[in-house]
Amino acid sequence: MNNSTREDSAPDAAAKRRPRRWREVSPTRHGLVLAWWGFTVTFGGLRLLTWLIHIDVSGVGNIQAGGVHLHHYIWGILLLMIVGAYGLVERSPRWRAWLGLIYGIAMALVIDETGNLVDLKDVYWQHAGGIGIAIALILIGVCGSFLAFTHREETR
């Protein structure tokens, strides 16, 4: 095989391989990748935080207003409303990435408490509370696989 054939096929091979660095990710996919990262990291952090609250670690506790426990799905729903409204008017790639990150964080806040939303009572540490964990792990796996096994877009 001569050098000219190898050089001609190199750009095609590079365009078809998965991106390995952030700058190689298509700007239209930045929001998807950041949503996945935001969801995964936030979900892990929420699991740690709620476990620390459950075992009664000093200085860690629930957020309350007027003696009422404010579950973190409330903050997730508010963030989703903001992202949805802003996404209707903003189209720039830079904001798409930021909105993706905020969307992933908001989804983790809501999905983590799916059991509470289904039963409309605090079932966090009961069997029904595992619903949110199962859904989150499935989302992390499916979305991560989608991002890992799809290729970047070709630019021309």
Side-chain angles (χ1 to χ4, degrees), residues 126-147:
Q126 297 172 8
H127 178 69
I131 295 170
I133 296 170
I135 291 172
L137 293 175
I138 290 167
L139 283 172
I140 289 169
V142 169
C143 293
S145 297
F146 171 78
L147 292 170

Side-chain angles (χ1 to χ4, degrees), residues 33 48 58 66-67 80 88:
V33 173
L48 175 62
S58 178
L80 287 171
L88 291 172

Side-chain angles (χ1 to χ4, degrees), residues 61-152:
N62 293 319
I63 297 175
Q64 296 189 4
V68 176
H69 173 207
L70 299 177
H71 289 275
H72 49 267
Y73 68 78
I74 293 170
W75 310 113
I77 291 170
L78 290 174
L79 281 175
L80 287 171
M81 290 167 50
I82 291 167
V83 167
Y86 202 74
L88 291 172
V89 295
E90 184 57 52
R91 300 283 189 242
S92 73
R94 181 173 182 222
W95 274 105
R96 184 181 296 141
W98 280 107
L99 291 174
L101 178 63
I102 297 167
Y103 178 79
I105 291 168
M107 287 298 297
L109 289 166
V110 173
I111 296 295
D112 186 53
E113 292 199 318
T114 302
N116 293 353
L117 291 168
V118 170
D119 282 349
L120 296 179
K121 58 184 174 184
D122 195 355
V123 295
Y124 207 78
W125 296 104
Q126 297 172 8
H127 178 69
I131 295 170
I133 296 170
I135 291 172
L137 293 175
I138 290 167
L139 283 172
I140 289 169
V142 169
C143 293
S145 297
F146 171 78
L147 292 170
F149 293 116
T150 57
H151 298 285
R152 69 180 179 162

Side-chain angles (χ1 to χ4, degrees), residues 22-72:
W22 182 248
R23 67 178 175 262
E24 294 175 355
V25 175
S26 167
T28 59
R29 291 178 54 98
H30 281 177
L32 291 172
V33 173
L34 286 174
W36 181 70
W37 282 350
F39 183 92
T40 303
V41 171
T42 302
F43 182 75
L46 288 170
R47 291 280 85 215
L48 175 62
L49 176 65
T50 54
W51 178 71
L52 292 173
I53 292 169
H54 182 67
I55 64 170
D56 210 15
V57 170
S58 178
V60 180
N62 293 319
I63 297 175
Q64 296 189 4
V68 176
H69 173 207
L70 299 177
H71 289 275
H72 49 267

